[in-house]
Amino acid sequence: MAGAIGFKLTSRNDLPDYFVNPITCTRDDVAFVQTKQTARSTRQALTNGRKKLGIGVDTFNLYNNSAVLKVMESVCFKKQGQTDLHVIDLAQQAFRRLYPRSQASRDALETIALSASNQLEDRVINALELHSIAIASSEPRVKLVNLWSALECLAGCCERKTVIERVLQLVTPLLIWRRFDKTVRYAAISTARFGSTIGQNNYGSGFTRSNVKFVHPLDMMISLCRPKDHEDIVSLLSFCSKHPFLVHRIYRLWKEFSDPTNLLKASNRSQERIKWQVYRIYRARNLLVHHGIEIPELPSLLDNLQYYSSVVLQRLIHAMKQNHGWQLRESLEYWNAKSGYVLSALESRPNILRVSDFFPMTSEKNSPQLWAPLA
């Protein structure tokens, strides 16, 4: 069968032990095959090869009415003109831009406790199952269909006429608000890493909550919102002066965050980009499901879809954990109200906003106002 689909069998002796042993240690009914692929990138070549092999495996399983054959996720490859062999796990590559949460075990146990006490409604449980199916597969088409179905499942509580309108109502407010949190946290992480590299932690006069190993996002947010020539932003830029790229990043963020009007404009632009991406993903999904067409941009669209579904699920569940008795509808309305409050205040009354308003998982008593007149 391998020859019929453009592959040929290869001996395990011709492959490195660090690739073969993890596969054969648990089973001996393994066959290794090889092929050549031409593509624009390594990832695309591996994806094309797996898809080509999968066609033969799926056809064989169809006529056997059982999953007799299976394509392994681990791949050994070398680039043209090179002799070094590399091993890659396609399942890990499929989620290459998402990393474990810092409190993943704690968050998981809290969610399991909700489920055990029957506080998670069927929509959420089904969305979790669909998300799990997507994570377990390295096949982009399987991932696309299941991740989109997970969002559709959650969006059923939204009051809009069409599927795309319900998904947009579900996704957009959460992601717009997430942008504030994410942007500031990444700047804080980059600053902390730079400080660790140079062995210094005098980040600036505004970093009262931070320490040697950790730059607090709230300190970063307050410093970025300071007016021109304020000591907090000046000292932060001075600390980063030996890292030109970080200086440029901090300066760009300061230009955006120090003026509520600029921050609102950036949020509106982000909202339009999110809507555009959701429409693209929905179009790709419909072409695949209804016409059997797989667009070339599918891997890059999946990067966005994976992020969207992960953030939305975690946020909705978090609100249920914090407010026992809440269902999906209450959780969604809660986050949408908080997001809407921030955007509305940015437009008309930015002085009422406090730093904790921009961090969904943070509550701090007497949190300072960001754009209040300085004493």
Side-chain angles (χ1 to χ4, degrees):
M1 186 185 77
I5 55 176
F7 287 77
K8 64 178 181 179
L9 293 171
T10 186
S11 172
R12 65 184 63 188
N13 296 326
D14 296 331
L15 300 169
D17 292 338
Y18 58 82
F19 170 66
V20 174
N21 291 342
I23 298 175
T24 59
C25 66
T26 56
R27 56 190 308 168
D28 55 8
D29 56 340
V30 180
F32 295 93
V33 296
Q34 62 174 306
T35 187
K36 292 182 179 180
Q37 292 291 322
T38 301
R40 293 176 295 179
S41 66
T42 300
R43 181 186 183 188
Q44 189 62 52
L46 297 176
T47 301
N48 291 345
R50 191 193 187 285
K51 181 179 179 180
K52 189 176 180 181
L53 182 60
I55 293 173
V57 169
D58 293 342
T59 303
F60 189 83
N61 291 339
L62 169 66
Y63 288 102
N64 279 274
N65 290 318
S66 63
V68 179
L69 299 180
K70 177 184 178 181
V71 180
M72 303 299 292
E73 305 291 358
S74 185
V75 178
C76 183
F77 70 94
K78 67 178 180 180
K79 298 181 180 179
Q80 186 176 9
Q82 298 182 7
T83 57
D84 294 339
L85 293 172
H86 307 275
V87 176
I88 196 170
D89 189 324
L90 291 178
Q92 292 179 358
Q93 278 293 101
F95 280 82
R96 69 192 189 284
R97 293 189 181 180
L98 296 181
Y99 299 93
R101 295 183 59 85
S102 58
Q103 302 291 335
S105 297
R106 183 203 65 188
D107 293 337
L109 289 173
E110 291 175 352
T111 303
I112 291 171
L114 276 183
S115 178
S117 59
N118 296 319
Q119 294 186 56
L120 288 183
E121 59 186 284
D122 290 342
R123 288 188 188 277
V124 180
I125 294 174
N126 289 336
L128 283 170
E129 291 175 348
L130 291 166
H131 188 268
S132 178
I133 293 172
I135 291 177
S137 175
S138 63
E139 169 53 55
R141 294 165 297 179
V142 174
K143 292 164 60 63
L144 176 72
V145 171
N146 284 285
L147 288 174
W148 181 267
S149 296
L151 289 180
E152 275 198 36
C153 195
L154 296 172
C157 68
C158 299
E159 296 179 349
R160 294 296 173 90
K161 292 183 178 181
T162 65
V163 170
I164 187 62
E165 288 176 342
R166 289 194 293 270
V167 173
L168 285 171
Q169 185 184 7
L170 170 76
V171 169
T172 307
L174 281 166
L175 294 177
I176 290 298
W177 198 26
R178 166 63 175 159
R179 179 182 178 275
F180 305 121
D181 182 2
K182 181 180 69 173
T183 303
V184 174
R185 286 185 187 275
Y186 284 179
I189 291 171
S190 299
T191 303
R193 288 177 177 174
F194 174 64
S196 177
T197 300
I198 64 176
Q200 298 180 19
N201 68 315
N202 53 330
Y203 311 113
S205 57
F207 290 81
T208 57
R209 302 170 181 80
S210 306
N211 55 48
V212 177
K213 297 182 179 180
F214 177 66
V215 173
H216 203 294
L218 270 64
D219 290 343
M220 178 61 73
M221 181 78 170
I222 293 172
S223 297
L224 292 174
C225 291
R226 294 305 192 189
K228 184 179 180 181
D229 296 330
H230 190 280
E231 181 184 2
D232 289 352
I233 186 62
V234 170
S235 56
L236 172 59
L237 289 169
S238 176
F239 172 78
C240 303
S241 60
K242 294 182 180 179
H243 192 327
F245 291 110
L246 184 56
V247 169
H248 176 70
R249 179 61 176 162
I250 295 296
Y251 177 74
R252 288 284 301 273
L253 288 176
W254 171 77
K255 292 283 286 185
E256 180 179 312
F257 279 79
S258 61
D259 186 340
T261 301
N262 289 340
L263 188 56
L264 179 62
K265 289 179 180 178
S267 300
N268 290 336
R269 290 193 298 268
S270 178
Q271 181 175 358
E272 292 304 312
R273 289 193 297 269
I274 291 170
K275 289 182 177 179
W276 176 67
Q277 285 287 12
V278 172
Y279 273 112
R280 291 183 69 205
I281 293 167
Y282 188 47
R283 176 63 174 166
R285 179 261 182 195
N286 287 343
L287 285 173
L288 179 62
V289 171
H290 300 298
H291 302 281
I293 298 174
E294 180 179 349
I295 65 171
E297 297 80 13
L298 184 56
S300 60
L301 292 178
L302 271 175
D303 287 336
N304 291 288
L305 180 56
Q306 288 162 185
Y307 171 69
Y308 296 169
S309 59
S310 177
V311 169
V312 169
L313 257 174
Q314 291 179 34
R315 284 287 162 82
L316 293 174
I317 292 175
H318 177 79
M320 296 178 199
K321 290 189 291 187
Q322 298 299 312
N323 302 273
H324 292 287
W326 277 18
Q327 293 297 313
L328 181 60
R329 182 65 177 269
E330 289 83 3
S331 179
L332 177 62
E333 290 181 350
Y334 168 74
W335 290 120
N336 287 353
K338 290 182 72 69
S339 178
Y341 166 74
V342 169
L343 295 177
S344 176
L346 279 175
E347 184 174 7
S348 58
R349 300 176 61 198
N351 286 355
I352 68 173
L353 290 171
R354 299 181 178 274
V355 63
S356 56
D357 291 327
F358 291 84
F359 294 91
M361 306 303 181
T362 302
S363 60
E364 185 179 270
K365 293 183 179 179
N366 301 319
S367 177
Q369 291 173 279
L370 288 170
W371 296 287
L374 296 177

